[in-house]
């Protein structure tokens, strides 16, 4: 049986974190569209295309990789109902990123315009943990949202 190209891990409504396992990703454009599609399918955005454009605009300004093989694309947008953090594990098949380099993992930060200070602080705590490369390495191969939350809390 052929392995699914992407596996969406379901999440509780109150969680800021989401997990997608990418078994056969191809490039940054596919992952950005996947993140926007995920938000749309989960009822968090009305305009998948507008969210895709907001995410692409940020990467066009400068490289969002924080380590050689890990990207942290982010945007503040009016097209989502709530902020979301989406980790896409590409470690099974390394993916081409925006400037031609490859990534094994991508952690999208999709920040709702006018997000509350409380949620911004929660997001900041997660991002601070991602500044440690040893933490990044432990993210690869996770297959549950609970494991991702434990790793970042």
């Amino acid at each position: 049986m052929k392995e699914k190209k992407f596996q969406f891990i379901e999440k509780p409504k109150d969680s800021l974190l989401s997990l997608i396992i990418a078994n056969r990703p191809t490039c940054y454009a596919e992952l950005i569209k996947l993140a926007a599609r995920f938000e749309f399918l989960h009822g968090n955005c009305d305009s998948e295309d507008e969210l895709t454009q907001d995410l692409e605009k940020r990467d066009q300004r400068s490289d969002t990789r924080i380590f050689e093989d890990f990207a942290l694309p982010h945007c503040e947008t009016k097209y989502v109902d709530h902020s979301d953090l989406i980790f896409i594990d590409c470690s099974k098949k390394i993916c081409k990123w925006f400037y031609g380099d490859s990534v094994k993992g991508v952690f999208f930060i999709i920040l709702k315009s006018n997000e509350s200070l409380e949620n911004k602080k929660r997001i900041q705590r997660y991002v601070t943990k991602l500044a440690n490369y040893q933490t990044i390495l432990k993210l690869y191969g996770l297959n549950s949202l609970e494991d991702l939350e434990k790793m970042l809390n």
Side-chain angles (χ1 to χ4, degrees), residues 47-98:
S47 178
E48 187 177 333
D49 292 336
E50 297 290 344
L51 179 55
T52 298
Q53 288 176 14
D54 280 355
L55 286 164
E56 287 174 341
K57 280 182 212 171
R58 174 59 188 87
D59 260 282
Q60 289 170 353
R61 285 196 306 259
S62 66
D63 191 354
T64 57
R65 286 177 307 130
I66 59 171
F67 296 107
E68 186 175 314
D69 58 0
F70 189 83
L72 192 69
H74 50 283
C75 73
E76 186 169 354
T77 182
K78 63 184 178 182
Y79 298 108
V80 295
D81 296 327
H82 59 82
S83 295
D84 208 2
L85 306 172
I86 304 172
F87 174 57
I88 302 180
D89 183 349
C90 310
S91 61
K92 288 184 179 181
K93 181 182 181 289
I94 294 174
C95 181
K96 291 289 182 195
W97 196 241
F98 193 73

Side-chain angles (χ1 to χ4, degrees), residues 105-123:
V106 180
F107 204 98
F108 286 94
I109 301 172
I110 302 172
L111 189 65
K112 175 184 86 167
S113 294
N114 303 316
E115 181 58 84
S116 71
L117 183 58
E118 178 184 337
N119 273 347
K120 284 182 178 179
K121 286 182 179 181
R122 285 177 63 198
I123 293 166

Side-chain angles (χ1 to χ4, degrees), residues 1-58:
M1 184 165 83
K2 193 173 180 182
E3 185 176 48
K4 288 182 179 179
K5 189 168 186 173
F6 299 104
Q7 180 183 354
F8 296 97
I9 307 299
E10 288 304 315
K11 68 175 205 159
K13 278 207 176 280
D14 63 340
S15 178
L16 278 173
L17 294 171
S18 299
L19 174 62
I20 299 172
I21 299 168
N23 294 309
R24 295 185 315 277
T26 56
C27 66
Y28 77 94
E30 180 180 42
L31 293 181
I32 287 173
K33 288 177 183 174
L34 176 66
R37 181 80 180 145
F38 182 85
E39 292 299 297
F40 179 76
L41 291 174
H42 285 84
N44 191 31
C45 85
D46 296 325
S47 178
E48 187 177 333
D49 292 336
E50 297 290 344
L51 179 55
T52 298
Q53 288 176 14
D54 280 355
L55 286 164
E56 287 174 341
K57 280 182 212 171
R58 174 59 188 87

